[in-house]
């Protein structure tokens, strides 16, 4: 596990009420129609570089330090997480990464959870993540993301593919970067575009983002459909993200011959026009985590959840019965 860089330990996300207000003020539907990006017009053969499934995830790096986002979690090391039954693999090779939902924890205390990151790092690729279930619930803040291991955050960038808090019904897709990177998209997407400033700092970490509009993209709605696939293509042309609820997963993904040129309108497009993707995003490890409260879930808490304080909910074990990932697989193609 890389512990030395601030980059690795900071999950800098669209924290705080500020971020949420910004989202609303920037909210608009994109209707620009222009030429499709090159990758959507031509068919390319992708070769499988790495497929993570089952036990593979138990060999990832387990982060076991204090949560950098100030969440009310105690992240367990691999041995402790496996012993506690919070990191398991079933007979179908499905990996579960869970928040504890049995132990008693005082209000404002720390509940056990898991945060893992891939031993391999990436500078590009077509990433296809298939989930049966994602964590949700009051106070719950799950994320599937990647971040640079060689540069101090936000230099080297952060790509957030799945993220949301509490009982939010929709997923948010976000980039964070060093200076000189803005979102300049004119292509249609299935999402609402949020802030366009990808450049982030500790004081201004909303990032540039898209909020999905379908309730099957996050939380209870995602799980009710038996999950689905988030796919993202990261290359010199940009970063493009597609979401498929389980009934809509294309055959070419299921058969292991993915062809993004056939996938239709993406959920998010971050083109290279306003941002040199190569120079702002590099050496990324892939991360799965679930935190509780922390900046974002705390500020957003009263709008959807009971009581006034997020920190009280941590004591209610039952509340965390749905706070788990069920990962079918993660494939990386080049
Ligand atoms: C992709 O692979 C198929 C089968 O191997 C081949 O027929 C096709 O020409 C390839 N397409 C490209 C664009 O390389
Ligand atoms: C489960 O995944 C492992 C790789 O982690 C693979 O070797 C094994 O064949 C898979 N088993 C099943 C039943 O798919
Ligand atoms: C893992 O965590 C447990 C519980 O905190 C601790 O006792 C153990 O020493 C840790 N193991 C390693 C290898 O760090
Ligand atoms: C759950 O999914 C079924 C289809 O599988 C759908 O008919 C139903 O409306 C969904 N319920 C909710 C609450 O999303
Ligand atoms: C935004 O992208 C368009 C092409 O889609 C380009 O003409 C324009 O110069 C870009 N603007 C910025 C600020 O990069
Ligand atoms: C983008 O950054 C890379 C790496 O620093 C550089 O090689 C490339 O020339 C840059 N592209 C443009 C269009 O400036
Ligand atoms: C605990 O959480 C569950 C699920 O969110 C909720 O139904 C229940 O009312 C909560 N219990 C208390 C004592 O707040």
């Amino acid at each position: 596990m890389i512990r030395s860089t601030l980059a690795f330990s900071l999950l800098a996300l669209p924290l705080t009420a500020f971020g949420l207000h910004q989202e609303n003020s920037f909210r608009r539907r994109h209707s620009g129609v222009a030429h499709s990006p090159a990758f959507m017009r031509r068919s390319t053969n992708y070769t499988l570089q790495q497929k993570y499934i089952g036990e593979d995830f138990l060999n990832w790096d387990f982060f076991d330090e204090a949560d950098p986002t100030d969440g009310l979690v105690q992240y367990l090391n691999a041995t402790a997480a496996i012993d506690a039954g919070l990191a398991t693999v079933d007979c179908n090779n499905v990996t579960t990464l869970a928040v504890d939902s049995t132990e008693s924890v005082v209000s404002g205390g720390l509940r056990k959870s898991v945060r893992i990151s891939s031993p391999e790092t990436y500078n590009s690729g077509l990433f296809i993540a298939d989930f049966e279930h994602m964590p949700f619930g009051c106070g719950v803040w799950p994320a599937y993301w990647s971040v640079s291991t060689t540069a101090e955050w936000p230099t080297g960038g952060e790509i957030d593919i799945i993220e949301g808090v509490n009982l939010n019904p929709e997923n948010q897709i976000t980039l964070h970067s060093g200076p000189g990177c803005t979102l300049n998209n004119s292509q249609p997407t299935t999402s609402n575009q949020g802030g366009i400033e990808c450049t982030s700092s500790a004081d201004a970490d909303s990032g540039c983002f898209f909020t999905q509009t379908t309730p099957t993209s996050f939380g209870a709605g995602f799980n009710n459909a038996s999950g689905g696939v988030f796919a993202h293509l990261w290359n010199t042309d940009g970063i493009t993200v597609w979401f498929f609820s389980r009934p809509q997963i294309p055959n070419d993904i299921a058969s292991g011959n993915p062809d993004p040129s056939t996938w239709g309108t993406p959920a998010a497009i971050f083109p290279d026009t306003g941002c040199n993707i190569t120079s702002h995003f590099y050496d990324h490890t892939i991360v799965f985590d679930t935190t509780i409260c922390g900046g974002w879930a705390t500020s957003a808490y009263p709008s959807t959840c009971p009581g006034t304080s997020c920190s009280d909910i941590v004591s209610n074990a039952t509340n965390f019965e749905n706070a788990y990932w069920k990962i079918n697989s993660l494939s990386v193609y080049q």
Side-chain angles (χ1 to χ4, degrees):
M1 174 183 309
I2 293 100
R3 297 159 202 248
S4 52
T5 61
L6 177 65
F8 182 73
S9 58
L10 252 185
L11 174 58
L13 299 157
L15 301 174
T16 76
F18 174 71
L20 296 174
H21 291 146
Q22 235 192 10
E23 169 187 344
N24 288 333
S25 59
F26 278 101
R27 185 175 286 243
R28 65 202 159 96
R29 186 170 284 280
H30 244 259
S31 56
V33 177
H35 296 298
S36 306
F39 67 84
M40 294 177 71
R41 282 180 271 124
R42 63 167 182 260
S43 185
T44 309
N45 284 336
Y46 290 91
T47 307
L48 185 65
Q49 177 182 11
Q50 193 89 41
K51 180 168 185 175
Y52 302 102
I53 184 168
E55 300 272 338
D56 297 345
F57 292 104
L58 305 187
N59 293 320
W60 281 27
D61 298 319
F62 281 65
F63 177 85
D64 64 353
E65 296 175 32
D67 180 18
T69 57
D70 299 324
L72 299 177
V73 287
Q74 178 197 352
Y75 285 129
L76 300 184
N77 63 40
T79 312
I82 293 166
D83 287 352
L86 299 182
T88 60
V89 178
D90 72 14
C91 58
N92 295 318
N93 254 354
V94 179
T95 308
T96 297
L97 304 174
V99 172
D100 167 75
S101 61
T102 59
E103 296 187 350
S104 71
V105 173
V106 296
S107 173
L110 304 182
R111 189 167 282 284
K112 289 172 181 165
S113 184
V114 176
R115 168 172 159 163
I116 62 171
S117 60
S118 64
E120 291 77 22
T121 57
Y122 297 93
N123 290 285
S124 65
L126 174 61
F127 301 78
I128 300 186
D130 186 324
F131 304 93
E132 197 70 29
H133 189 278
M134 72 166 71
F136 80 98
C138 285
V140 177
W141 176 3
Y144 159 47
W145 53 296
S146 70
V147 66
S148 180
T149 59
T150 58
E152 196 166 302
W153 188 92
T155 308
E158 175 181 323
I159 304 170
D160 302 313
I161 302 296
I162 297 180
E163 201 182 4
V165 294
N166 300 316
L167 303 180
N168 282 7
E170 286 115 12
N171 182 49
Q172 183 172 316
I173 301 164
T174 307
L175 297 189
H176 298 279
S177 72
C181 176
T182 55
L183 170 55
N184 176 33
N185 180 47
S186 58
Q187 302 297 321
T189 70
T190 59
S191 304
N192 290 318
Q193 191 174 302
I196 61 165
E197 190 50 75
C198 311
T199 303
S200 299
S201 66
D203 296 334
D205 60 0
S206 296
C208 54
F209 61 94
F210 291 84
T211 305
Q212 293 191 248
T213 55
T214 164
T216 55
S217 66
F218 193 79
F222 179 84
N223 298 332
N224 177 54
S226 298
V229 164
F230 283 86
H232 67 286
L233 179 60
W234 167 17
N235 59 25
T236 53
D237 291 344
I239 296 168
T240 305
V241 186
W242 290 263
F243 166 65
F244 306 104
S245 187
R246 187 148 308 280
Q248 276 93 48
I249 297 172
N251 287 334
D252 59 286
I253 286 183
S255 69
N257 296 297
D259 183 1
S261 70
T262 65
W263 292 349
T265 308
I269 305 177
F270 302 92
D272 68 343
T273 52
C275 178
N276 184 330
I277 296 293
T278 308
S279 65
H280 283 100
F281 298 89
Y282 52 86
D283 299 338
H284 276 208
T285 181
I286 305 166
V287 188
F288 294 102
D289 75 66
T290 311
T291 191
I292 300 173
C293 300
W296 191 14
T298 299
S299 60
Y301 188 87
S303 62
T304 48
C305 287
T308 52
S309 165
C310 191
S311 62
D312 288 340
I313 199 74
V314 73
S315 66
N316 180 348
T318 311
N319 180 65
F320 298 95
E321 285 178 351
N322 286 303
Y324 62 92
W325 294 97
K326 266 194 183 301
I327 308 169
N328 289 330
S329 66
L330 169 60
S331 298
V332 184
Y333 297 83
Q334 295 290 348

